[in-house]
Amino acid sequence: MDPLPFTLLEGRIPIAAHQHVAALYRGREQAFCLAPFLAEGLRRGDRCVYLAPLTQHAAMLERLEGLSADPARQISTGGLRVEAGESEWKGLQALAEKTFADAEQARAPGVRWLEDGGWAVSAGFPKPRFFEFHALLNFQVKHYPSVALCQYDLATLNTRDLFSSIAVHRHLLLAETLVRDNPYYIPAEKFIPLSPEERERDLLKLFREVGFDAGKLVEALAGYRSLHGASPQGS
């Protein structure tokens, strides 16, 4: 266990190394609120990846420039990769593997993976494989000091994809609340063999309990083990 958090999101939410977190937000403006996570990593020499729809790249680079992270230089030296995604599994898996291999070769102190899930639609990546990739990303972050933050826009996310995004992330960031050890998390070895119906069963029950209201579903999850200022121990 790391004695100190890998990072403090918004300066107060401790995230330990080796964690894979789903962050749910609403609306385009909120899509860039985690830019400081990347900027901090670039300043300390971490290898950073921003994976998002092409339409979001310029805005994120502008934010990083405003945070004195010098994104142009970081891209040229390999510290930052800005990607629009892949249409096939092999390309996506190669991106993840190369990110961690390059960090190890460069002896970088850490890896930071910031992803906006909207890229899958624009790149034409198949949804079932998208969530399988994220189930497996839980293993990948264990092999190097790293944090993967995966954002999902509630304004565009359908209910089935919301369920899947919750199921494949062990930790959730909802309404500025970190829910550690998400009660609906399904480990990769269990998630991948399940049918879509089996993957969604428990979450569908909760969804019924909140009257099929996605906003209330998120509130219910945020109310589970709210850990403002909690210890960074555990992953």
Side-chain angles (χ1 to χ4, degrees):
M1 298 293 184
D2 293 333
L4 295 173
F6 184 90
T7 188
L8 290 173
L9 295 183
E10 301 178 8
R12 63 181 181 80
I13 301 174
I15 304 293
H18 310 296
Q19 290 192 344
H20 180 204
V21 183
L24 302 183
Y25 71 95
R26 189 178 295 278
R28 180 177 169 84
E29 183 59 29
Q30 290 298 310
F32 309 104
C33 66
L34 292 177
F37 167 73
L38 288 181
E40 177 189 62
L42 293 172
R43 287 193 293 268
R44 78 168 201 167
D46 292 341
R47 288 299 174 107
C48 299
V49 173
Y50 179 57
L51 174 58
L54 185 61
T55 55
Q56 295 180 199
H57 290 186
M60 177 56 79
L61 291 173
E62 184 178 348
R63 295 292 182 96
L64 292 175
E65 185 69 37
L67 292 167
S68 302
D70 197 358
R73 182 182 66 82
Q74 293 286 355
I75 290 171
S76 68
T77 59
L80 173 65
R81 297 188 64 167
V82 179
E83 303 283 345
E86 300 284 342
S87 60
E88 297 181 355
W89 172 270
K90 287 184 178 179
L92 181 60
Q93 190 59 36
L95 169 62
E97 290 175 356
K98 182 170 175 52
T99 297
F100 286 88
D102 286 352
E104 186 171 3
Q105 184 176 12
R107 298 185 179 180
V111 170
R112 298 187 183 219
W113 180 282
L114 178 59
E115 175 180 344
D116 192 291
W119 74 261
V121 175
S122 55
F125 193 86
K127 277 295 179 65
R129 301 235 71 185
F130 174 82
F131 291 111
E132 288 175 13
F133 170 79
H134 284 87
L136 293 170
L137 193 57
N138 287 289
F139 292 140
Q140 202 126 27
V141 298
K142 301 300 180 188
H143 297 150
Y144 203 84
S146 56
V147 166
L149 298 180
C150 302
Q151 300 185 135
Y152 299 92
D153 187 354
L154 290 169
T156 59
L157 197 66
N158 65 44
T159 301
R160 174 157 284 183
D161 290 345
L162 172 61
F163 285 178
S164 293
S165 66
I166 291 169
V168 297
H169 293 85
R170 187 171 178 181
H171 312 290
L172 307 173
L173 184 61
L174 312 167
E176 300 182 352
T177 296
L178 177 65
V179 180
R180 206 183 303 280
D181 293 324
N182 161 26
Y184 298 99
Y185 167 64
I186 305 174
E189 64 272 19
K190 295 182 179 180
F191 179 87
I192 292 175
L194 294 176
S195 69
E197 292 75 20
E198 290 171 321
R199 293 173 179 179
E200 297 166 3
R201 183 185 55 216
D202 291 342
L203 277 161
L204 182 57
K205 180 180 177 182
L206 176 60
F207 197 41
R208 290 194 187 101
E209 291 174 357
V210 296
F212 297 95
D213 184 317
K216 290 182 179 178
L217 172 65
V218 172
E219 289 177 8
L221 287 165
Y224 180 87
R225 289 189 188 175
S226 299
L227 296 180
H228 286 296
S231 167
Q233 301 298 325
S235 55

